[in-house]
Amino acid sequence: MSEQTQQQGTSQARRVVVAGAGMAGVQTAVALREQGFTGTVTLIGAEPHQPYDRPPLSKAVLLGNAEGSAFDVDFDALDIELRLGREVLGVRSADHELDTEAGAVPYDVLVLATGAEPIRLPGAEGVPGVHLLRTLDDAERLRPVLARQHDIVVVGAGWIGAEFATAAREAGCAVTVVEAADRPLAGALPAAVAAPMTSWYADSGAVLRTHARVERVEPGAVVLDDGSRIPAGAVVVGIGARPATAWLAGSGIELGAHDEVVADSHLRTSVPDVYAVGDCASFPSGRYGERLLVHHWDNALQGPRTVAANILGEATGEPPAVYDPVPYFWSEQFGRFVQYAGHHPAADTTLWRGEPSGPAWSVCWLRDDRLVALLAVGRPRDLAQGRRLIEAGTRMNPQLLVDATRPMKAAVA
């Protein structure tokens, strides 16, 4: 901790600046006030809109069932200063200044919460009718596309691709999803687990084409590398996201293999007085024995509480809080509620609860008979109980666990 922070921390007159006004940034600002921070809190966002939640963009906002998804936060009442429509450009840590389009912003503590940005399809920039779905403006541009019931090609059968395809089918659009891998969610789930999800596309009336690489996008069509041409009134690209950290070049802040900010177990960066949280940062997990980069909503909700506690702890001398969550996310696709908790690469055993051809089933991953991850399709009780069992490190009885009629909490060893 710097001498400057020590001196100002004792008086609680510190200035905390949060770069990024998405879920992680907003929750950091709110958590600071909830935990009793009385210094200045400034929240800087690149978009001009009132800070908003992202999950509804691929659902209610996209379908026109909601005008927006602004956070229900009274920033004035919490004395949180909003500076919106200001892109961050760099950090000069020696000067304790954040550079923005509107000039330099001094800080005593800086929190990096700039999230992730979508990966663009090479060669598709500038082609009419090509869309991303990450921001409120993206959703607003796609609304009339769905309303006009265009033929739509979705590039990528990951989480966002499936969610958009679901909304587009609900809107009455003809949908073709093209995926370079041999199955949906190839980068997220093992082949045996993702395989049952393939039929969900056809059941909903969408066409799924695997082993399908995009050669180029033309106005009105997507051309695959096998020469086939798919008519497209619109193209939606959902091929992943990367941490939004290019602006940190030259800052001295360590970045990892995926260009994410490398945070420690307290969510501190390699530079004094700078924290990182949410989609832009990785952290070491003692629970799983490896560094995790989690691009999901719950991580952006939970991490800020640790950051806020540690910022306040600098002033009071409290031992720093450790961030080691059980990752969690959910997805609504093709009439199914899919939930996941944990980190399955650490497992040595995979068990099924229920038939994957049915409407409700779960997959359990164990290591040394302890649950380390769980995927639940239409079984929210499994998820709720399983998440607590993962957190507790409870030893399970595999023979009892595969009985889908038995509550998970009753399948302990």
Side-chain angles (χ1 to χ4, degrees):
M1 183 166 56
S2 71
E3 182 179 351
Q4 178 186 19
T5 300
Q6 286 179 319
Q7 291 171 346
Q8 295 185 345
T10 56
S11 66
Q12 279 283 326
R14 291 179 297 168
R15 300 163 295 183
V16 175
V17 174
V18 182
M23 169 62 82
V26 168
Q27 291 300 322
T28 297
V30 171
L32 282 166
R33 292 302 189 218
E34 288 180 343
Q35 295 182 29
F37 182 77
T38 58
T40 299
V41 177
T42 302
L43 185 63
I44 299 176
E47 295 182 57
H49 310 291
Q50 189 77 358
Y52 61 87
D53 204 5
R54 294 191 188 278
L57 298 184
S58 61
K59 306 172 184 71
V61 175
L62 187 61
L63 291 170
N65 298 327
E67 289 303 315
S69 56
F71 291 112
D72 186 18
V73 175
D74 190 334
F75 294 99
D76 289 337
L78 291 173
D79 193 21
I80 296 170
E81 179 190 9
L82 291 181
R83 299 189 188 182
L84 304 177
R86 301 188 183 188
E87 186 174 352
V88 289
L89 302 177
V91 177
R92 287 177 288 114
S93 58
D95 298 325
H96 275 65
E97 288 189 336
L98 175 72
D99 289 323
T100 76
E101 289 179 320
V105 180
Y107 68 83
D108 295 312
V109 180
L110 175 65
V111 181
L112 307 177
T114 47
E117 57 192 5
I119 297 173
R120 297 177 182 273
L121 186 65
E125 293 89 348
V127 178
V130 176
H131 299 264
L132 299 168
L133 181 53
R134 181 72 182 179
T135 68
L136 180 59
D137 289 339
D138 292 337
E140 292 292 351
R141 283 189 287 266
L142 277 165
R143 260 189 183 180
V145 173
L146 267 60
R148 290 193 294 267
Q149 297 186 334
H150 280 297
D151 290 349
I152 295 176
V153 173
V154 180
V155 182
W159 299 112
I160 191 65
E163 291 183 0
F164 177 81
T166 299
R169 286 299 301 139
E170 188 175 331
C173 300
V175 177
T176 300
V177 180
V178 296
E179 168 57 51
D182 61 349
R183 62 188 187 276
L185 296 168
L189 296 173
V193 177
M197 300 175 177
T198 301
S199 64
W200 297 359
Y201 289 78
D203 292 346
S204 75
V207 175
L208 173 63
R209 295 185 60 168
T210 56
H211 300 286
R213 292 188 176 275
V214 176
E215 178 71 26
R216 66 183 182 277
V217 179
E218 303 173 347
V222 172
V223 180
L224 304 181
D225 62 357
D226 64 1
S228 58
R229 192 170 185 274
I230 307 173
V235 178
V236 176
V237 179
I239 55 175
R242 59 168 64 94
T245 58
W247 65 282
L248 291 170
S251 68
I253 295 171
E254 182 184 356
L255 302 182
H258 303 282
D259 290 329
E260 85 282 8
V261 179
V262 175
D264 67 9
S265 60
H266 312 299
L267 298 181
R268 298 176 299 204
T269 73
S270 61
V271 168
D273 302 324
V274 181
Y275 290 80
V277 67
D279 290 3
C280 72
S282 66
F283 57 90
S285 171
R287 186 187 310 275
Y288 292 107
E290 61 182 283
R291 179 166 289 275
L292 300 183
L293 175 60
V294 181
H295 281 186
H296 292 298
W297 185 90
D298 191 66
N299 179 52
L301 175 67
Q302 303 295 339
R305 298 169 186 168
T306 298
V307 170
N310 287 335
I311 290 174
L312 271 80
E314 290 178 359
T316 61
E318 293 291 321
V322 172
Y323 187 60
D324 193 8
V326 173
Y328 166 74
F329 70 89
W330 80 97
S331 177
E332 297 177 66
Q333 51 184 270
F334 308 117
R336 294 166 175 85
F337 187 42
V338 183
Q339 296 171 283
Y340 178 96
H343 184 61
H344 68 266
D348 56 32
T349 303
T350 304
L351 299 175
W352 294 74
R353 286 169 56 83
E355 291 296 325
S357 59
W361 46 275
S362 296
V363 179
C364 302
W365 287 274
L366 288 80
R367 182 182 63 212
D368 299 329
D369 287 342
R370 288 181 169 84
L371 195 66
V372 294
L374 171 74
L375 175 80
V377 177
R379 293 181 67 95
R381 183 173 297 178
D382 275 8
L383 191 288
Q385 294 180 11
R387 191 177 183 182
R388 289 192 288 269
L389 292 166
I390 296 171
E391 290 172 344
T394 305
R395 189 175 293 277
M396 308 299 296
N397 182 321
Q399 288 73 35
L400 299 179
L401 189 58
V402 296
D403 181 358
T405 65
R406 181 188 298 271
M408 290 192 66
K409 64 182 181 181
V412 299

